[in-house]
Amino acid sequence: MIDLVCGGQAGDEGKGKIAAYLSYKGNYEYCVRVGGPNAGHTVVQDGVSYTLKNIPSGFLNPKTKLVLGAGAYTKTEWLLDEVKKTNTQDRLIIDPYAVLITDEQTGAERGASHFMNHIGSVGTGLGQAVKERIERRDIKFAKDEPLLKDFIQDVPELLNRSLDKGGDILLEGTQGIKLSLLHGEYPFVTSRDTTASTFLGEAGLGPKSVRDVYVVFKPYITRVGPGPLEHEMTDEKELEIYHTKGHEIGSVSKRLRRVGKFEKRSASRAIMINNCTKIAITHIDMFPGNDRVKREEDFTPEAKAFLANLRALSAEVYPHPKIALISTGPDMEDTLVL
Ligand code: IMP
Ligand code: MG
Protein backbone atom coordinates (compact mmCIF):
# COMPACT_ATOMS: atom_id res chain seq x y z
CA MET A 1 0.00 0.00 0.00
CA ILE A 2 0.99 3.63 -0.41
CA ASP A 3 1.49 6.13 2.39
CA LEU A 4 1.90 9.78 1.47
CA VAL A 5 3.47 12.73 3.26
CA CYS A 6 2.07 16.16 2.33
CA GLY A 7 2.60 19.70 3.58
CA GLY A 8 -0.30 21.38 5.36
CA GLN A 9 1.07 24.93 5.26
CA ALA A 10 3.56 26.89 3.13
CA GLY A 11 6.33 24.29 2.90
CA ASP A 12 9.00 23.57 5.49
CA GLU A 13 6.56 21.84 7.82
CA GLY A 14 9.10 19.08 8.46
CA LYS A 15 7.98 16.61 5.80
CA GLY A 16 11.58 15.39 5.51
CA LYS A 17 11.74 14.44 9.15
CA ILE A 18 8.34 12.74 9.12
CA ALA A 19 9.14 10.84 5.91
CA ALA A 20 12.50 9.81 7.38
CA TYR A 21 10.87 8.62 10.61
CA LEU A 22 8.17 6.64 8.82
CA SER A 23 10.61 5.06 6.48
CA TYR A 24 13.13 4.25 9.20
CA LYS A 25 10.51 2.57 11.37
CA GLY A 26 8.44 1.16 8.54
CA ASN A 27 9.10 -1.48 6.00
CA TYR A 28 8.75 0.42 2.74
CA GLU A 29 10.21 -1.20 -0.31
CA TYR A 30 10.36 2.15 -2.08
CA CYS A 31 10.50 5.75 -0.95
CA VAL A 32 9.55 8.07 -3.81
CA ARG A 33 10.12 11.76 -4.26
CA VAL A 34 8.53 14.07 -6.79
CA GLY A 35 8.81 17.83 -7.30
CA GLY A 36 11.79 20.10 -7.55
CA PRO A 37 15.07 20.94 -5.85
CA ASN A 38 13.59 24.22 -4.63
CA ALA A 39 12.29 22.12 -1.72
CA GLY A 40 14.89 21.31 0.89
CA HIS A 41 14.00 18.45 3.20
CA THR A 42 16.00 18.26 6.40
CA VAL A 43 16.70 14.99 8.15
CA VAL A 44 18.70 14.70 11.38
CA GLN A 45 19.95 11.37 12.68
CA ASP A 46 22.19 11.07 15.75
CA GLY A 47 23.01 14.77 15.47
CA VAL A 48 24.07 14.53 11.79
CA SER A 49 21.95 16.79 9.60
CA TYR A 50 21.23 16.22 5.90
CA THR A 51 19.49 18.80 3.71
CA LEU A 52 18.12 16.92 0.74
CA LYS A 53 16.96 18.61 -2.44
CA ASN A 54 16.70 15.47 -4.51
CA ILE A 55 17.08 12.18 -2.64
CA PRO A 56 13.99 10.91 -0.77
CA SER A 57 14.24 11.40 3.00
CA GLY A 58 13.68 7.68 3.50
CA PHE A 59 17.32 7.05 2.58
CA LEU A 60 18.13 6.40 6.26
CA ASN A 61 16.61 2.96 5.97
CA PRO A 62 19.22 0.97 4.03
CA LYS A 63 16.60 -1.53 2.86
CA THR A 64 14.48 1.11 1.13
CA LYS A 65 15.03 1.78 -2.55
CA LEU A 66 14.91 5.44 -3.51
CA VAL A 67 12.94 6.62 -6.48
CA LEU A 68 12.55 9.85 -8.45
CA GLY A 69 9.32 9.85 -10.44
CA ALA A 70 8.55 11.46 -13.79
CA GLY A 71 7.27 14.48 -11.87
CA ALA A 72 10.66 15.00 -10.22
CA TYR A 73 13.00 17.80 -11.31
CA THR A 74 16.64 17.77 -10.36
CA LYS A 75 20.03 18.85 -11.58
CA THR A 76 22.66 16.25 -12.44
CA GLU A 77 25.46 17.65 -10.29
CA TRP A 78 23.20 18.39 -7.31
CA LEU A 79 21.77 14.89 -7.48
CA LEU A 80 25.13 13.14 -7.83
CA ASP A 81 26.52 15.21 -4.97
CA GLU A 82 23.68 14.05 -2.72
CA VAL A 83 23.98 10.46 -3.87
CA LYS A 84 27.61 10.57 -2.73
CA LYS A 85 26.84 12.25 0.60
CA THR A 86 24.10 9.74 1.40
CA ASN A 87 25.98 6.79 -0.11
CA THR A 88 22.92 5.67 -2.02
CA GLN A 89 24.30 4.85 -5.49
CA ASP A 90 23.24 1.21 -5.18
CA ARG A 91 19.58 1.89 -4.52
CA LEU A 92 18.62 4.93 -6.53
CA ILE A 93 16.09 4.56 -9.37
CA ILE A 94 15.13 7.37 -11.73
CA ASP A 95 12.23 7.58 -14.16
CA PRO A 96 13.47 8.26 -17.71
CA TYR A 97 11.17 11.29 -17.83
CA ALA A 98 12.33 12.94 -14.61
CA VAL A 99 13.60 16.35 -15.73
CA LEU A 100 17.17 17.58 -15.43
CA ILE A 101 17.22 21.33 -14.96
CA THR A 102 19.91 22.91 -17.12
CA ASP A 103 22.21 25.79 -16.15
CA GLU A 104 20.44 27.87 -18.79
CA GLN A 105 17.10 27.27 -17.08
CA THR A 106 18.55 28.17 -13.70
CA GLY A 107 20.12 31.28 -15.23
CA ALA A 108 16.88 32.29 -16.96
CA GLU A 109 14.93 31.99 -13.70
CA ARG A 110 17.53 33.89 -11.68
CA GLY A 111 17.57 36.62 -14.31
CA ALA A 112 13.81 37.06 -14.38
CA SER A 113 12.58 39.66 -11.96
CA HIS A 114 9.07 38.24 -12.27
CA PHE A 115 10.24 34.95 -10.75
CA MET A 116 12.77 36.32 -8.29
CA ASN A 117 11.17 39.54 -7.08
CA HIS A 118 7.46 39.21 -7.66
CA ILE A 119 6.93 35.52 -6.83
CA GLY A 120 10.04 35.14 -4.64
CA SER A 121 11.21 31.99 -6.40
CA VAL A 122 14.02 30.01 -4.83
CA GLY A 123 16.01 30.35 -8.08
CA THR A 124 16.77 26.70 -8.80
CA GLY A 125 15.29 26.91 -12.28
CA LEU A 126 12.35 24.66 -11.50
CA GLY A 127 9.74 27.19 -12.66
CA GLN A 128 11.62 27.76 -15.92
CA ALA A 129 11.95 24.00 -16.54
CA VAL A 130 8.25 23.42 -15.86
CA LYS A 131 7.42 26.29 -18.21
CA GLU A 132 9.53 24.80 -21.01
CA ARG A 133 8.07 21.34 -20.40
CA ILE A 134 4.57 22.75 -20.77
CA GLU A 135 5.65 24.48 -23.97
CA ARG A 136 6.95 21.08 -25.19
CA ARG A 137 10.47 22.51 -25.76
CA ASP A 138 13.55 20.35 -26.17
CA ILE A 139 14.24 19.92 -22.45
CA LYS A 140 16.66 17.48 -20.82
CA PHE A 141 15.30 14.28 -19.34
CA ALA A 142 17.12 11.82 -17.09
CA LYS A 143 17.21 9.32 -19.98
CA ASP A 144 19.36 11.81 -21.93
CA GLU A 145 22.16 11.96 -19.35
CA PRO A 146 24.88 9.29 -19.70
CA LEU A 147 25.98 9.81 -16.05
CA LEU A 148 22.56 8.62 -14.88
CA LYS A 149 22.13 5.64 -17.19
CA ASP A 150 22.60 3.02 -14.46
CA PHE A 151 19.73 4.50 -12.45
CA ILE A 152 17.08 4.60 -15.16
CA GLN A 153 14.12 2.22 -14.81
CA ASP A 154 10.43 2.17 -15.67
CA VAL A 155 9.18 3.63 -12.39
CA PRO A 156 5.39 3.17 -12.82
CA GLU A 157 5.98 -0.47 -13.79
CA LEU A 158 8.30 -1.09 -10.84
CA LEU A 159 6.09 0.55 -8.24
CA ASN A 160 2.87 -1.02 -9.42
CA ARG A 161 4.48 -4.46 -9.59
CA SER A 162 5.57 -3.98 -5.98
CA LEU A 163 2.01 -3.04 -4.95
CA ASP A 164 0.69 -6.11 -6.71
CA LYS A 165 3.01 -8.27 -4.59
CA GLY A 166 1.90 -6.58 -1.36
CA GLY A 167 4.81 -4.14 -1.15
CA ASP A 168 4.63 -0.78 0.65
CA ILE A 169 5.62 2.57 -0.81
CA LEU A 170 6.21 5.90 0.90
CA LEU A 171 5.54 8.89 -1.35
CA GLU A 172 7.13 12.12 -0.14
CA GLY A 173 5.51 15.28 -1.47
CA THR A 174 6.99 18.75 -1.49
CA GLN A 175 5.90 22.23 -0.33
CA GLY A 176 2.44 22.74 1.15
CA ILE A 177 -1.14 23.67 0.42
CA LYS A 178 -0.52 27.44 0.48
CA LEU A 179 2.05 27.01 -2.31
CA SER A 180 -0.09 24.86 -4.59
CA LEU A 181 -0.47 26.19 -8.12
CA LEU A 182 -4.09 25.00 -8.07
CA HIS A 183 -5.26 25.34 -4.47
CA GLY A 184 -2.79 27.80 -3.00
CA GLU A 185 -2.51 31.56 -2.80
CA TYR A 186 -1.94 32.37 -6.48
CA PRO A 187 0.28 33.95 -7.69
CA PHE A 188 2.44 33.41 -4.59
CA VAL A 189 2.73 29.71 -5.26
CA THR A 190 5.16 27.23 -6.77
CA SER A 191 4.97 25.91 -10.33
CA ARG A 192 3.07 22.68 -9.50
CA ASP A 193 0.11 21.51 -7.53
CA THR A 194 1.33 20.34 -4.12
CA THR A 195 -1.41 17.97 -3.00
CA ALA A 196 -1.70 14.20 -2.60
CA SER A 197 -3.42 13.31 -5.87
CA THR A 198 -0.85 15.20 -7.91
CA PHE A 199 2.04 13.55 -6.07
CA LEU A 200 0.56 10.16 -6.98
CA GLY A 201 0.24 11.11 -10.64
CA GLU A 202 3.76 12.49 -10.70
CA ALA A 203 5.07 9.14 -9.46
CA GLY A 204 2.96 7.04 -11.83
CA LEU A 205 0.65 5.74 -9.13
CA GLY A 206 -3.14 5.69 -8.93
CA PRO A 207 -5.43 6.50 -5.98
CA LYS A 208 -6.76 3.02 -5.21
CA SER A 209 -3.75 1.74 -3.29
CA VAL A 210 -3.39 4.61 -0.83
CA ARG A 211 -3.45 3.62 2.85
CA ASP A 212 -2.58 6.75 4.81
CA VAL A 213 -2.14 10.38 3.89
CA TYR A 214 -0.06 12.18 6.49
CA VAL A 215 -0.38 15.95 6.46
CA VAL A 216 2.34 17.77 8.37
CA PHE A 217 1.74 20.97 10.36
CA LYS A 218 3.79 23.19 12.62
CA PRO A 219 2.02 25.08 15.43
CA TYR A 220 2.80 28.21 13.42
CA ILE A 221 3.39 28.94 9.74
CA THR A 222 6.48 30.10 7.92
CA ARG A 223 6.88 31.48 4.45
CA VAL A 224 10.19 32.18 2.70
CA GLY A 225 8.76 34.35 -0.03
CA PRO A 226 6.05 36.98 -0.44
CA GLY A 227 2.35 36.16 -0.15
CA PRO A 228 -0.35 36.00 2.50
CA LEU A 229 0.47 35.14 6.10
CA GLU A 230 -2.28 35.69 8.65
CA HIS A 231 -1.15 37.34 11.89
CA GLU A 232 2.47 37.73 10.80
CA MET A 233 4.91 38.23 13.65
CA THR A 234 6.86 41.46 13.51
CA ASP A 235 8.49 41.55 16.94
CA GLU A 236 12.22 41.13 16.25
CA LYS A 237 12.96 39.39 19.54
CA GLU A 238 10.16 36.90 19.05
CA LEU A 239 11.21 36.26 15.45
CA GLU A 240 14.80 35.68 16.48
CA ILE A 241 13.75 32.69 18.59
CA TYR A 242 12.18 31.11 15.52
CA HIS A 243 15.23 31.81 13.41
CA THR A 244 17.63 30.36 15.99
CA LYS A 245 15.96 27.64 18.11
CA GLY A 246 13.44 26.86 15.38
CA HIS A 247 16.07 26.88 12.58
CA GLU A 248 13.55 28.84 10.47
CA ILE A 249 15.98 29.80 7.75
CA GLY A 250 15.33 28.64 4.18
CA SER A 251 17.24 25.38 3.71
CA VAL A 252 17.67 26.08 -0.01
CA SER A 253 17.02 29.83 -0.24
CA LYS A 254 18.91 30.66 3.03
CA ARG A 255 16.40 33.49 3.57
CA LEU A 256 15.07 34.17 7.06
CA ARG A 257 11.57 32.73 7.05
CA ARG A 258 8.60 34.95 7.81
CA VAL A 259 6.56 33.59 10.71
CA GLY A 260 2.81 33.74 11.29
CA LYS A 261 0.31 32.15 13.65
CA PHE A 262 -1.35 28.81 12.86
CA GLU A 263 -4.00 29.30 10.17
CA LYS A 264 -7.18 27.31 10.65
CA ARG A 265 -8.47 27.94 7.16
CA SER A 266 -5.43 26.62 5.36
CA ALA A 267 -5.26 23.67 7.77
CA SER A 268 -8.86 22.73 6.95
CA ARG A 269 -8.17 22.94 3.24
CA ALA A 270 -5.03 20.83 3.60
CA ILE A 271 -6.97 18.13 5.46
CA MET A 272 -9.81 18.20 2.94
CA ILE A 273 -7.93 18.40 -0.35
CA ASN A 274 -5.29 15.86 0.62
CA ASN A 275 -7.90 13.51 2.11
CA CYS A 276 -5.71 13.46 5.21
CA THR A 277 -6.04 10.37 7.41
CA LYS A 278 -3.22 11.13 9.86
CA ILE A 279 -1.89 14.42 11.14
CA ALA A 280 1.79 14.83 11.95
CA ILE A 281 2.90 17.82 14.02
CA THR A 282 6.46 19.08 14.11
CA HIS A 283 8.21 21.83 16.10
CA ILE A 284 5.93 21.38 19.15
CA ASP A 285 9.11 22.20 21.09
CA MET A 286 8.75 25.80 19.94
CA PHE A 287 6.26 26.03 22.78
CA PRO A 288 8.72 26.43 25.68
CA GLY A 289 9.12 23.38 27.90
CA ASN A 290 8.21 20.68 25.39
CA ASP A 291 11.63 19.53 24.21
CA ARG A 292 11.77 15.77 23.74
CA VAL A 293 8.62 15.10 25.76
CA LYS A 294 7.93 11.36 25.74
CA ARG A 295 4.21 11.24 26.65
CA GLU A 296 1.29 13.43 25.65
CA GLU A 297 0.36 13.97 29.33
CA ASP A 298 3.68 15.72 29.86
CA PHE A 299 3.14 18.51 27.33
CA THR A 300 2.72 22.04 28.74
CA PRO A 301 -0.78 23.57 28.88
CA GLU A 302 0.09 25.72 25.84
CA ALA A 303 1.01 22.68 23.72
CA LYS A 304 -2.01 20.75 25.01
CA ALA A 305 -4.31 23.64 24.05
CA PHE A 306 -2.85 23.63 20.53
CA LEU A 307 -3.49 19.88 20.21
CA ALA A 308 -7.05 20.27 21.54
CA ASN A 309 -7.78 23.04 19.04
CA LEU A 310 -6.43 20.99 16.18
CA ARG A 311 -8.54 17.99 17.22
CA ALA A 312 -11.60 20.23 17.36
CA LEU A 313 -10.82 21.49 13.86
CA SER A 314 -10.34 17.94 12.57
CA ALA A 315 -13.69 16.91 14.05
CA GLU A 316 -15.27 19.41 11.67
CA VAL A 317 -13.37 18.57 8.51
CA TYR A 318 -13.73 15.42 6.41
CA PRO A 319 -12.09 12.87 6.66
CA HIS A 320 -11.53 13.74 10.36
CA PRO A 321 -7.91 12.64 10.74
CA LYS A 322 -6.33 11.68 14.05
CA ILE A 323 -3.13 13.25 15.32
CA ALA A 324 -0.71 10.36 14.79
CA LEU A 325 2.83 11.72 15.18
CA ILE A 326 4.31 14.61 17.15
CA SER A 327 7.87 15.70 16.65
CA THR A 328 9.42 17.06 19.86
CA GLY A 329 12.92 17.92 18.64
CA PRO A 330 15.04 17.93 15.50
CA ASP A 331 16.39 14.37 15.62
CA MET A 332 14.49 11.68 13.80
CA GLU A 333 14.12 9.80 17.08
CA ASP A 334 12.48 12.79 18.80
CA THR A 335 9.07 11.61 17.67
CA LEU A 336 6.04 10.67 19.71
CA VAL A 337 3.65 8.12 18.23
CA LEU A 338 0.05 8.47 19.45
P1 IMP B 1 9.46 28.67 -6.68
O1 IMP B 1 8.72 27.38 -6.52
O2 IMP B 1 10.94 28.49 -6.47
O3 IMP B 1 9.11 29.40 -7.93
O4 IMP B 1 8.97 29.62 -5.48
C1 IMP B 1 7.64 30.08 -5.40
C2 IMP B 1 7.30 30.40 -3.96
O5 IMP B 1 7.26 29.18 -3.22
C3 IMP B 1 8.34 31.26 -3.25
O6 IMP B 1 7.69 32.08 -2.29
C4 IMP B 1 9.23 30.25 -2.58
O7 IMP B 1 9.90 30.80 -1.49
C5 IMP B 1 8.22 29.22 -2.17
N1 IMP B 1 8.79 27.88 -2.08
C6 IMP B 1 9.14 27.06 -3.09
N2 IMP B 1 9.60 25.91 -2.61
C7 IMP B 1 9.53 25.97 -1.29
C8 IMP B 1 9.82 25.05 -0.24
O8 IMP B 1 10.24 23.90 -0.43
N3 IMP B 1 9.62 25.50 1.02
C9 IMP B 1 9.12 26.71 1.26
N4 IMP B 1 8.83 27.59 0.34
C10 IMP B 1 9.01 27.22 -0.94
MG1 MG C 1 12.13 22.96 3.07
Side-chain angles (χ1 to χ4, degrees), residues 12 39-41 251 257:
D12 307 314
H41 289 183
S251 56
R257 294 178 182 149

Side-chain angles (χ1 to χ4, degrees), residues 185-338:
E185 295 163 331
Y186 193 92
F188 303 108
V189 295
T190 189
S191 41
R192 308 155 41 246
D193 175 39
T194 53
T195 65
S197 308
T198 292
F199 300 146
L200 287 166
E202 288 178 331
L205 292 165
K208 291 276 279 186
S209 306
V210 174
R211 177 174 46 206
D212 278 313
V213 180
Y214 288 83
V215 174
V216 188
F217 296 105
K218 295 189 282 205
Y220 54 92
I221 297 197
T222 56
R223 238 191 195 281
V224 261
L229 203 54
E230 278 177 32
H231 314 292
E232 182 163 1
M233 286 177 202
T234 50
D235 184 274
E236 302 243 333
K237 282 219 176 80
E238 206 180 353
L239 276 171
E240 200 189 325
I241 300 171
Y242 285 89
H243 294 148
T244 50
K245 176 173 163 62
H247 304 284
E248 295 295 1
I249 299 174
S251 56
V252 182
S253 66
K254 306 290 175 219
R255 291 177 236 163
L256 293 182
R257 294 178 182 149
R258 299 161 59 206
V259 185
K261 295 216 172 105
F262 188 84
E263 293 178 11
K264 282 187 170 173
R265 187 185 129 78
S266 60
S268 303
R269 291 186 66 76
I271 290 172
M272 228 165 48
I273 296 172
N274 288 300
N275 223 208
C276 170
T277 61
K278 290 188 171 167
I279 293 175
I281 297 164
T282 63
H283 284 72
I284 197 95
D285 49 314
M286 283 303 290
F287 292 126
N290 293 285
D291 288 26
R292 302 194 169 85
V293 164
K294 299 272 183 283
R295 302 178 315 166
E296 188 174 346
E297 306 87 277
D298 297 337
F299 282 127
T300 61
E302 200 182 11
K304 281 182 181 158
F306 169 73
L307 297 174
N309 285 335
L310 190 51
R311 287 190 175 113
L313 180 141
S314 173
E316 287 176 11
V317 187
Y318 178 79
H320 314 297
K322 298 261 178 300
I323 298 175
L325 294 175
I326 304 179
S327 159
T328 58
D331 207 279
M332 198 197 47
E333 295 285 352
D334 304 328
T335 306
L336 195 63
V337 182
L338 301 187

